[in-house]
Amino acid sequence: MSLLKNPRRPLAALALAAVAAISLAGCAGASGDAAAGSTTDAKTATSLSDFGTMADLEAAAKAEGQLNVIALPRTWANYGEVLDLFAQRYPEITINEQSPDASSAEEIQAAKANEGLDTAPDVFDLGLAVALQNTDRFAAYKVSTFDEIPDAIKEPSGLFVGDYGGYMSIGYDSARFPAPTSLSDLLKPAYKGAVAINGDPTQAGSAFAAVGLATVQNGGTLDDFTPGVDFFGKLNAAGNFLKVDPTDATIASGETPVVFDWDYLNAAQASAVPTWKTVVLPGTGYAGYYNQAINKDAPHPAAARLWQEFLYSDEVQNLWLKGGARPARMDAMTTAGTIDAALAAALPAAPSDTVVPTEAQSTAAGTLLGQKWATAAQ
């Protein structure tokens, strides 16, 4: 089941209103307004047809010879295999992977700090809240499979587009802790100094979603994240909130033994920690997609657009699925018979009820978190 199908409350309907974040080092190849041998202005291309054919786009990207990516951890939704496949397919294009653990907000900061330089990010991978706040930094581009991406998870002109998603979950080391069956369980002494979230919710999409989940699991609505902030305030007061950003290393070492994160990220930890389990709590679930966008000032604009075409191909959409995430084109690929059926069948069951914030709700939540989070988490 994709995120866009739910027997009680379709995510598409909930998300429809939502569509109306370090210095990046690396060498730069040939770039500019037009790639060598082409009259196409890659910076202004809004679709593959502006280049002509896929071969024309590939030639333009190869002439640039570089692609700057940022905030792509290799264990995040199978990004390692995705990056390696691109490098294998296009050996003429060097991928500069920088700051893999950066937040969505830090991606935008990197673009600002490196604006006009060959070291700026070409592409972004962003949580919805940060994407909505920074559309003036994106170049509109519709990949060739754009029509197969649900309207609910894409900005109509292609400024940003949902790519892969999942449900907010709790991962935990079952050898050390009992399985949480509700958020209130995490307030118990058994979880003393053990519960972490993935980043700062004022900057990171996963942490933002953790507060959103706490909100709806505590009887609130996404119109007001106060119940979620209050929950983490209580968690902190109980001495159970661990102020360490979880990574593969901290989870493997046991430093962060209970973690709020997307289900596909928590599930991946079981390969290194066999006793690691993932729980999507019963009741209302919080779902979300991460979004792809092109830096409007990308130093390698053709390579940036080739990367987008690559990510939304059948092959890479199935690689997200292999990483435990739900790809944006899942429904269309299921209908066409191009989805990996075995991987799709292995996805965990979806919550009975699913929510995702609208643009207005995300904006209001961001303002509230800016005002209250620091105090709650002190």
Side-chain angles (χ1 to χ4, degrees), residues 262-276:
W262 299 109
D263 56 351
Y264 51 90
L265 299 181
N266 266 325
Q269 298 299 334
S271 61
V273 183
T275 53
W276 191 263

Side-chain angles (χ1 to χ4, degrees), residues 82-106:
V82 172
L83 288 161
D84 290 343
L85 180 61
F86 187 87
Q88 177 184 342
R89 185 163 298 170
Y90 303 110
E92 305 89 346
I93 303 172
T94 299
I95 306 176
N96 302 309
E97 300 177 50
Q98 295 296 323
S99 303
D101 294 321
S103 68
S104 293
E106 288 168 335

Side-chain angles (χ1 to χ4, degrees), residues 312-362:
Y312 289 94
S313 67
D314 286 354
E315 189 169 11
V316 177
Q317 292 283 290
N318 275 319
L319 288 182
W320 299 137
L321 193 57
K322 186 177 178 180
R326 292 159 171 83
R329 293 180 53 238
M330 187 168 181
D331 290 344
M333 289 173 62
T334 299
T335 299
T338 56
I339 200 76
D340 187 314
L343 292 174
L347 289 172
S352 59
D353 198 8
T354 299
V355 295
V356 66
T358 65
E359 179 176 358
Q361 289 170 333
S362 293

